[in-house]
Amino acid sequence: MSGSSLLDTCAGLVVDLDGVVYRGAGPVQHAVDALNLAAERGLPVMYATNNASRPAAEVASHLTELGVRTDAEHVVTSAQAGAVLLAEQLAPGGVVLAVGGPGVALALREVGLSPVTPQQRIDDPAVAEQVEAVLQGYGTELTWTDLKETAYAVNAGAAWMATNVDLTIPTDRGIAPGNGSAVAAVRNAVGEEPQVAGKPYPPLYTRCADRVGGDVTTMLAVGDRLDTDIEGANRTGMPSLHVLTGVDGPVALAEADRLLRPTYLGLDLRALQEPYVAPSVDGTESATCGEATARLDGDTLEVSGGSPIEQVRAAVTLVWVATDAQRLEVPLPDGVRATLQRIDPR
């Protein structure tokens, strides 16, 4: 599809937030202009976040403060997706233990359920007996007591819904533990797996497409994590763009199995509007992308010419072909990994 932009090929966008649009409070470079351009062209831009701590309106307010033209109707959080799933399983007004930031309790109220806090469950035995389910999401003020109450409720028979299972979350200071790390702590105590509403499972993506009346196969998912954004898109049947502004770089991309491989690779969100130069492969020995060339010589990967993103596209695509043909094994040889690390533009 060289010569066409990704905006020319899709009917709308489903965009991840942390690591794609912003890191912490500040924007990722080029993100705001690229997203506003998509909206100006008439494409619906939905924002899908696994971070359940903030209500959709607060997320939208943050985006508008950064300069993104959007509103709460174009934001779907994993807390909202989880609340919808629980509403399908419980009677109206069902009591749910809300664990995490304020976005968790609000999402439950929006679908007619009755959230209670861990402290309410501690203080009132009658409340504890009424809890039918737990919705566990990310929160910056999460405490060990919150995790204990989650485990006690699940062990008492409450349904357990995790908004997401991201082990880490990118912040303006680096990579921090995510909701998946807290979920793992509870899992160790209860010995069972939660239901999961967020990426990499389809509900969050399908809810975004439904919100704008789109078909998942015509929307384009944009993310920075392979095991959430990209796997979720693939599970949903939605094409995807992976940008190198967050968690996963060329090494992780090259070692990814088929379910975690994106349709497209971009340096940042400018990739949406630029003519997309796709790589081509010659057997399992060489690949080109624009002016970039990647070659495999034994267990050594050589990359030369072209722009940084052309180099990454050529190298990663060649390694995918070579691993699928069992020409290379994962984990990749040191010589291949070293080159992938060298061309990492982050």
Side-chain angles (χ1 to χ4, degrees):
M1 58 168 289
S2 298
S4 299
S5 75
L6 297 181
L7 293 181
D8 295 325
T9 68
C10 66
L13 302 176
V14 180
V15 184
D16 180 56
L17 293 175
D18 292 307
V20 176
V21 182
Y22 51 65
R23 296 190 197 92
V28 171
Q29 192 174 16
H30 308 298
V32 173
D33 289 343
L35 293 167
N36 286 341
L37 176 63
E40 288 168 7
R41 294 183 55 171
L43 292 178
V45 181
M46 295 296 300
Y47 296 93
T49 178
N50 265 3
N51 188 333
S53 63
R54 298 189 294 174
E58 186 176 330
V59 174
S61 178
H62 181 195
L63 289 171
T64 56
E65 288 172 2
L66 297 178
V68 178
R69 292 191 285 275
T70 191
D71 55 40
E73 287 301 306
H74 288 80
V75 176
V76 179
T77 72
S78 59
Q80 290 176 313
V84 168
L85 291 175
L86 285 178
E88 295 172 352
Q89 302 171 32
L90 306 176
V95 177
V96 181
L97 181 64
V99 178
V104 177
L106 180 59
L108 291 166
R109 293 191 190 97
E110 289 174 344
V111 296
L113 296 175
S114 302
V116 297
T117 67
Q119 192 60 50
Q120 287 175 306
R121 188 180 186 280
I122 293 170
D123 293 341
D124 191 340
V127 169
E129 292 180 0
Q130 293 170 358
V131 170
E132 301 176 66
V134 182
L135 182 58
Q136 182 182 359
Y138 180 78
T140 57
E141 304 301 323
L142 191 73
T143 68
W144 202 252
T145 295
D146 294 336
L147 300 183
K148 289 194 294 183
E149 290 304 310
T150 301
Y152 297 153
V154 173
N155 280 328
W160 182 24
M161 178 75 67
T163 61
N164 67 293
V165 288
D166 299 10
L167 293 176
T168 61
I169 184 171
T171 74
D172 55 353
R173 295 181 59 194
I175 303 299
N179 191 55
S181 296
V183 169
V186 176
R187 183 190 298 116
N188 291 338
V190 302
E192 62 180 83
E193 295 290 331
Q195 301 176 62
V196 181
K199 299 172 282 187
Y201 299 96
L204 191 52
Y205 279 126
T206 55
R207 186 159 179 78
C208 283
D210 291 345
R211 185 79 64 89
V212 296
D215 186 323
V216 293
T217 62
T218 65
M219 304 285 284
L220 177 67
V222 185
D224 69 303
R225 293 183 64 114
L226 301 178
D227 62 352
T228 55
D229 306 322
I230 305 307
E231 181 178 346
N234 287 335
R235 286 178 180 269
T236 310
M238 188 178 292
S240 59
L241 166 67
H242 180 87
V243 289
L244 297 171
T245 54
V247 174
D248 288 322
V251 173
L253 279 160
E255 292 188 333
D257 62 34
R258 291 178 182 272
L259 188 59
L260 277 66
R261 295 176 186 174
T263 316
Y264 309 105
L265 295 177
L267 189 64
D268 51 50
L269 287 183
R270 288 175 296 179
L272 291 169
Q273 65 202 56
E274 297 170 345
Y276 191 86
V277 181
S280 60
V281 180
D282 183 10
T284 60
E285 305 297 327
S286 67
T288 60
C289 183
E291 299 299 319
T293 299
R295 297 184 186 280
L296 276 173
D297 183 7
D299 286 346
T300 301
L301 176 65
E302 299 175 355
V303 181
S304 60
S307 68
I309 191 57
E310 288 174 342
Q311 290 188 354
V312 172
R313 288 173 186 162
V316 168
T317 303
L318 177 59
V319 173
W320 285 343
V321 171
T323 54
D324 289 349
Q326 300 184 324
R327 161 78 168 73
L328 291 174
E329 294 184 355
V330 175
L332 294 169
D334 291 342
V336 175
R337 290 175 62 90
T339 298
L340 291 167
Q341 291 167 345
R342 177 179 62 80
I343 66 172
D344 190 340
R346 297 178 298 166

